[in-house]
Amino acid sequence: MSTTVETARSSVIVAIDGPSGTGKSSTSKAVAAKLGLSYLDTGAQYRAITWWMLNNGIDVGDPAEIATAAAKPVIVSGTDPAAPTITVDGEDASGPIRTQEVTSKVSAVSAVPEVRTLITELQRSIATAATGGIVVEGRDIGTTVLPDADLKIFLTASPEARAARRSGEVKGSDLTATREALIKRDAADSGRKTSPLAKADDAVEVDTTELTLQQVIECVVTLVEGKRVAA
């Protein structure tokens, strides 16, 4: 097989979307690592800009103030699935962006059109630069960020299953409260005017409710390999 064809097969762009708790991050990282692709967690970028705003006294309840400040932080995402990194103005933000404070504010910040425009441009530039192929996960990748992705996957799961997974990740968390928070986040992400959470018309839907993480990974790997062969 020619080198050109090999390159075309390996440089597949995979968009994985879905709400919180469906296994997007774990699945995306594992698939990228197994297939030798780059990996991008777009949610981390929205968390990063939210964290920066909270740290810099920006009123995250004021869309106009958010819009004015949006272009100030410099966000850099590492795309190694084995060790993904994210920095804001040169500072490691991988830990701080996972706090409950950031989690509770990220939907409001990410709903501001100016924020989405800037982050979307950043995401597209990263995907374009990934000459060996990339798995990009988020909530609007297949519909808005990379509508021409080679493969689009939309992960779903019941609210109960998602809450159980999230509660397992956060020690001492309340299952009912976690479920309610997830449903509230779904409503905010699906209802925003700019790039709402939605399944692309040509996306493959995978319900992960009754599947183990390994089963989900194997399913997605099969889909990606099928797309590579078809290409």
Side-chain angles (χ1 to χ4, degrees):
M1 188 174 289
S2 71
T3 302
T4 303
V5 174
E6 286 284 5
T7 301
R9 286 182 62 210
S10 62
S11 61
V12 64
I13 293 179
V14 182
I16 299 183
D17 290 307
S20 300
T22 54
K24 287 196 311 293
S25 294
S26 299
T27 299
S28 298
K29 280 187 282 191
V31 169
K34 190 166 186 176
L35 298 177
L37 304 172
S38 295
Y39 160 75
L40 178 62
D41 174 1
T42 63
Q45 295 174 320
Y46 285 106
R47 286 176 170 273
I49 197 168
T50 301
W51 174 68
W52 180 90
M53 292 196 179
L54 291 170
N55 273 6
N56 285 273
I58 305 301
D59 181 359
V60 295
D62 183 347
E65 193 169 337
I66 292 172
T68 300
K72 293 181 180 178
V74 177
I75 298 170
V76 178
S77 297
T79 58
D80 178 356
T85 59
I86 187 161
T87 62
V88 182
D89 295 337
E91 182 179 351
D92 178 16
S94 56
I97 65 172
R98 302 296 173 182
T99 63
Q100 186 54 45
E101 182 182 23
V102 171
T103 298
S104 66
K105 304 296 185 184
V106 66
S107 285
V109 173
S110 61
V112 176
E114 288 81 358
V115 170
R116 297 209 75 82
T117 296
L118 283 164
I119 298 295
T120 294
E121 289 175 357
L122 175 60
Q123 292 162 359
R124 285 175 179 160
S125 68
I126 292 171
T128 300
T131 54
I134 190 168
V135 177
V136 183
E137 59 129 322
R139 286 172 169 75
D140 66 339
I141 311 307
T143 54
T144 302
V145 180
L146 300 169
D148 296 325
D150 299 301
L151 175 62
K152 302 173 188 177
I153 296 169
F154 193 85
L155 299 184
T156 64
S158 70
E160 291 74 21
R162 293 163 53 208
R165 291 168 187 169
R166 273 296 152 94
S167 293
E169 294 171 2
V170 183
K171 292 181 180 178
S173 61
D174 178 82
L175 186 60
T176 301
T178 300
R179 181 179 180 276
E180 290 174 356
L182 284 172
I183 292 173
K184 184 177 180 181
R185 176 75 190 272
D186 288 351
D189 289 346
S190 301
R192 63 173 177 247
K193 293 181 179 179
T194 305
S195 301
L197 164 66
K199 176 189 169 187
D201 292 338
D202 54 346
V204 178
E205 184 170 328
V206 178
D207 187 337
T208 70
T209 302
E210 302 294 335
L211 301 178
T212 65
L213 174 59
Q214 193 55 44
Q215 288 173 324
V216 178
I217 292 168
E218 289 171 0
C219 174
V220 174
V221 165
T222 299
L223 289 169
V224 176
E225 289 180 330
K227 182 61 66 172
R228 278 178 159 178
V229 169

